[in-house]
Amino acid sequence: MLNLRERLMLTHKGHSDLKKAIIACTITNLSLMLPFGITIQIFVELLKPFMGETISWTKMWIFFGLGIIAAVLVFLASKNDYKKTYIASYMESEANRTRIAEHIRKLPMSFFNAKDVSELTTNIMGDCSTSEHVLSHIIPQLLANAISITVICLGLAAFDWRLALTVFSTVPIALLIIVLSKKIQNRLSEKHVEAKLKASDQVQEYLEGIKVIKSCGLDGSKFSALDNALRYMKQMAIKLEFGTGVFVAGAQIVVQAGVGLTVFAGTYLLTGGKIELIPLLMFFLIVVRIYGPILTELTLLPELFYMQTSTRRMRRLISTPIMEGDTEKEIKNYNIEFENVSFSYTGNLAPEETVIKDVSISIPANGITALVGPSGSGKSTLSKLIARFWDVNKGVVKIGGIDIKILDPEYLMDYMSFVFQDVVLFNDTIYNNIRIGNMDATEEQIMEAAKAACCHEFVNNLPDGYHTKLGENGSTISGGERQRISIARALLKNAPIVLLDEATASLDPENEVLIQQAISKLIEGKTVIVIAHRLRTVVSADKIIILDKGRVLEEGTHDELLREKGLYERLYSIQNENLGWSI
Ligand SMILES: Nc1ncnc2c1ncn2[C@@H]1O[C@H](COP(=O)(O)OP(=O)(O)OP(=O)(O)O)[C@@H](O)[C@H]1O
């Protein structure tokens, strides 16, 4: 059974802040009764002439003064309440977002395989916003209302317990209606959240595929998946509103029936001489006032149920186990060994799902090892296993004799640099994009890395030089330039192991030469694993490993492999023939 803190996904500070917010909100609610109490006293005073008494102006002035004091008290209480509820809830929401983002960073890649980015965005932004709203607007109000209603109820009971009982007699029935409808509301909330997710997923796909949509002459209405998702979301939103509205309206009618009952009971007591007219009128006034907070309670409860759907999703995410390990064990040499490694992306080692099959290889330190093989043979997967992006399902991967499964993935990353085909650049300046390689680097070191990666010249030709913003994923510069920035980043990191995914897309000769120069600098004296697509680039590698359908087929140097006359020799001669290909 989860406690309130766990249910609402609160930090310890958030939990204690919430308690303070509830107290502050209760004080505000009770302070709001002061002007009301004073108004009633004035009302009693004004009725005196009808009872044959005279109005006391001294009392009226005192009430006037008290009214001003009450207004100041309400202002102070509201100010305190505002600070305690809103500021605290936004701070809590920020803490939660950071906590989720931190957690996501440490999750295994298998998690991302099963999740869409839009779902995670919804987790970080949408679910946190829902809980932020509930923490700031719903829970403090809900509990404070409940406390002040109870206090007033006790006050009324002290005045006349029979009438007080009548006033509140319908409240339990109304609450029962809301509580019993919780299951239906939860189901509708789940469906609504699911529909929102689907819609945001489709919007993302639509925006990412905008080039294809334009080039194929499709328009929004023809993009039926998006259309359907938006329509479904609309339907679910209406269903949720309707499903909730029916129960809330029903419960509110039941509560308001209490007014009629009170009037009926009051008149009965009055005619029986058990209550005076003026106290009864005062009672009626209070009753009208007290129903406001009760009706509000009934509308706030469904919002609390809706929040539970969001927090349930956040809890699921935050309880997904992260990849952890040793952060101090020093790797003394960079020999990489695969010992009987099998791996499948689903975790199931059934033959049709296994993409790496019983691989045992050795990648020597301080040399260049090329991974070669047909498309889908498992080259990229092997490199991902070295970086512990995924954990192997069978066997071990060792670096310097240490099983990498015992190392913390982020710590392991300190030993590695990557140059992938799909370069990831951030919407920031070129300078900051390079600096990601080593956040402690000096300006001089950053410039040096940029020069070594052949970036300096093109960067200097940009209007703002190193301070030019790159747009989303470096959309404002060419593919070759993007690649060189990523090499500068890797150079700055200066990690002992370099994983290189050779670009498949053809670059113009000038770019190719520049990238080649940059890479030569990057791999100097390092342990290099290169995923090679063009075999002429691996001729001088110290070791070439040929993969086919997840198995190691051949190993050796270029000359040895040519002599073997196996798959490598076949692929090499096919690529040589194609060199003469032209249009
Ligand atoms: N994230 C993933 N989830 C599930 N299966 C994957 C994933 N990535 C790759 N695969 C599958 O694993 C197998 C090996 O893929 P991998 O990318 O390692 O091959 P590759 O030799 O690098 O191919 P290419 O040269 O075309 O890049 C393929 O069948 C591929 O479909």
Side-chain angles (χ1 to χ4, degrees):
M1 188 76 181
L2 297 173
N3 61 32
L4 182 74
R5 191 175 76 76
E6 289 163 336
R7 252 175 208 286
L8 301 177
M9 287 244 345
L10 297 173
T11 58
H12 282 287
K13 182 168 184 319
H15 189 218
S16 99
D17 283 347
L18 180 66
K19 284 187 206 156
K20 286 181 198 157
I22 292 166
I23 294 171
C25 215
T26 310
I27 294 173
T28 309
N29 278 5
L30 292 178
S31 73
L32 283 170
M33 296 306 289
L34 288 178
F36 181 67
I38 295 167
T39 312
I40 288 195
Q41 291 307 318
I42 294 173
F43 182 69
V44 170
E45 203 57 37
L46 290 174
L47 282 179
K48 276 190 177 164
F50 299 101
M51 321 282 288
E53 296 174 36
T54 49
I55 297 175
S56 158
W57 287 103
T58 322
K59 272 191 181 174
M60 288 298 266
W61 279 111
I62 291 173
F63 292 146
F64 179 71
L66 286 175
I68 292 174
I69 294 171
V72 172
L73 286 177
V74 168
F75 170 76
L76 292 176
S78 305
K79 193 166 156 259
N80 176 48
D81 174 12
Y82 184 86
K83 210 167 108 191
K84 292 272 179 342
T85 50
Y86 297 105
I87 296 178
S89 76
Y90 294 131
M91 276 164 62
E92 177 65 7
S93 170
E94 185 199 357
N96 250 338
R97 284 200 172 104
T98 315
R99 179 154 66 126
I100 293 178
E102 283 280 309
H103 190 80
I104 287 177
R105 192 162 56 92
K106 293 180 180 164
L107 287 172
M109 290 303 282
S110 52
F111 174 84
F112 298 95
N113 232 27
K115 292 257 179 197
D116 296 318
V117 174
S118 65
E119 186 170 347
L120 295 175
T121 314
T122 308
N123 264 146
I124 298 177
M125 298 309 294
D127 291 344
C128 283
S129 295
T130 307
S131 70
E132 178 181 276
H133 171 73
V134 172
L135 284 182
S136 59
H137 290 80
I138 311 294
I139 295 178
Q141 195 61 42
L142 194 81
L143 293 178
N145 264 1
I147 295 171
S148 30
I149 290 168
T150 312
V151 170
I152 295 164
C153 173
L154 292 176
L156 290 181
F159 179 71
D160 191 311
W161 67 269
R162 294 156 303 188
L163 281 179
L165 203 65
T166 323
V167 171
F168 291 99
S169 61
T170 52
V171 175
I173 306 168
L175 283 178
L176 199 68
I177 294 176
I178 298 287
V179 172
L180 289 181
S181 69
K182 189 179 167 196
K183 254 194 181 158
I184 301 174
Q185 290 184 45
N186 278 352
R187 216 173 31 241
L188 290 172
S189 303
E190 290 276 359
K191 283 194 171 166
H192 182 233
V193 171
E194 213 178 277
K196 278 202 298 192
L197 271 180
K198 257 194 197 146
S200 72
D201 200 24
Q202 288 303 327
V203 169
Q204 183 164 339
E205 193 175 306
Y206 180 75
L207 294 176
E208 279 170 0
I210 202 86
K211 276 190 199 149
V212 181
I213 293 166
K214 276 179 182 284
S215 62
C216 297
L218 299 171
D219 60 28
S221 61
K222 286 197 184 115
F223 204 62
S224 58
L226 176 63
D227 252 8
N228 292 339
L230 291 177
R231 194 170 315 117
Y232 182 64
M233 186 173 80
K234 176 194 73 182
Q235 283 164 353
M236 286 304 115
I238 294 172
K239 266 193 180 171
L240 176 66
E241 286 297 338
F242 185 73
T244 311
V246 166
F247 294 110
V248 170
Q252 286 185 336
I253 289 169
V254 170
V255 166
Q256 277 166 332
V259 179
L261 285 180
T262 313
V263 172
F264 183 78
T267 316
Y268 177 76
L269 291 175
L270 184 71
T271 49
K274 296 195 174 100
I275 194 166
E276 304 270 318
L277 178 65
I278 293 202
L280 182 64
L281 287 178
M282 271 167 46
F283 205 93
F284 286 161
L285 269 181
I286 296 171
V287 167
V288 174
R289 176 78 176 77
I290 190 83
Y291 274 128
I294 297 177
L295 296 179
T296 311
E297 290 290 87
L298 298 176
T299 52
L300 294 180
L301 273 172
E303 291 206 49
L304 185 65
F305 299 158
Y306 187 80
M307 180 216 184
Q308 284 180 341
T309 314
S310 294
T311 46
R312 215 173 295 133
R313 284 153 39 82
M314 291 202 289
R315 269 203 310 275
R316 256 201 311 266
L317 174 66
I318 219 90
S319 58
T320 311
I322 53 173
M323 279 176 124
E324 287 173 299
D326 200 313
T327 53
E328 277 161 20
K329 203 167 182 67
E330 197 187 341
I331 301 178
K332 295 206 173 95
N333 75 71
Y334 306 113
N335 282 316
I336 302 170
E337 308 277 344
F338 277 67
E339 292 175 7
N340 306 102
V341 169
S342 293
F343 172 76
S344 104
Y345 282 99
T346 54
N348 175 4
L349 285 181
E352 63 282 6
E353 290 183 28
T354 311
V355 291
I356 297 297
K357 295 165 188 152
D358 201 26
V359 165
S360 294
I361 48 170
S362 157
I363 295 171
N366 309 324
I368 300 176
T369 301
L371 302 176
V372 171
S375 179
S377 56
K379 305 180 292 290
S380 307
T381 307
L382 272 195
S383 71
K384 287 176 198 163
L385 294 179
I386 295 172
R388 213 191 154 198
F389 283 167
W390 301 78
D391 276 333
V392 298
N393 303 114
K394 198 170 143 268
V396 272
V397 180
K398 290 182 180 168
I399 301 182
I402 302 167
D403 181 352
I404 59 168
K405 245 187 194 172
I406 67 155
L407 297 176
D408 177 72
E410 288 184 10
Y411 170 71
L412 183 63
M413 275 316 112
D414 289 346
Y415 287 91
M416 295 186 194
S417 285
F418 301 90
V419 178
F420 289 136
Q421 288 188 50
D422 43 348
V423 176
V424 176
L425 296 180
F426 295 97
N427 188 5
D428 201 343
T429 59
I430 294 183
Y431 184 88
N432 285 339
N433 264 290
I434 298 176
R435 200 165 78 105
I436 287 170
N438 175 6
M439 295 306 271
D440 300 325
T442 60
E443 188 171 345
E444 205 182 340
Q445 288 169 320
I446 292 172
M447 296 295 167
E448 231 168 75
K451 280 180 193 157
C454 308
C455 295
H456 198 59
E457 202 183 316
F458 93 82
V459 174
N460 275 337
N461 286 335
L462 293 170
D464 294 321
Y466 281 90
H467 299 289
T468 307
K469 279 228 173 194
L470 284 179
E472 200 164 322
N473 204 15
S475 55
T476 52
I477 54 173
S478 80
E481 289 163 348
R482 277 211 297 270
Q483 194 97 45
R484 277 182 273 152
I485 289 181
S486 81
I487 297 172
R489 191 190 274 170
L491 270 164
L492 192 65
K493 185 167 180 188
N494 195 24
I497 300 170
V498 178
L499 291 159
L500 216 84
D501 192 354
E502 190 193 44
T504 40
S506 294
L507 294 161
D508 59 87
E510 192 194 345
N511 245 322
E512 183 145 2
V513 169
L514 290 173
I515 287 178
Q516 202 50 54
Q517 274 177 24
I519 286 179
S520 307
K521 296 233 174 63
L522 173 67
I523 63 179
E524 254 169 32
K526 304 276 158 62
T527 301
V528 183
I529 298 109
V530 53
I531 299 169
H533 301 280
R534 280 165 300 181
L535 299 190
R536 62 194 164 91
T537 60
V538 301
V539 171
S540 56
D542 298 299
K543 187 169 189 177
I544 303 170
I545 296 170
I546 317 296
L547 291 165
D548 189 28
K549 297 188 183 107
R551 285 187 196 281
V552 175
L553 225 58
E554 298 158 23
E555 276 182 80
T557 60
H558 172 74
D559 292 334
E560 286 165 358
L561 291 168
L562 281 189
R563 277 199 296 277
E564 265 186 42
K565 293 207 176 297
L567 179 63
Y568 180 79
E569 196 264 349
R570 232 175 18 257
L571 291 172
Y572 189 72
S573 41
I574 293 170
Q575 284 205 357
N576 267 349
E577 279 165 27
N578 285 347
L579 279 179
W581 185 85
S582 64
I583 49 168

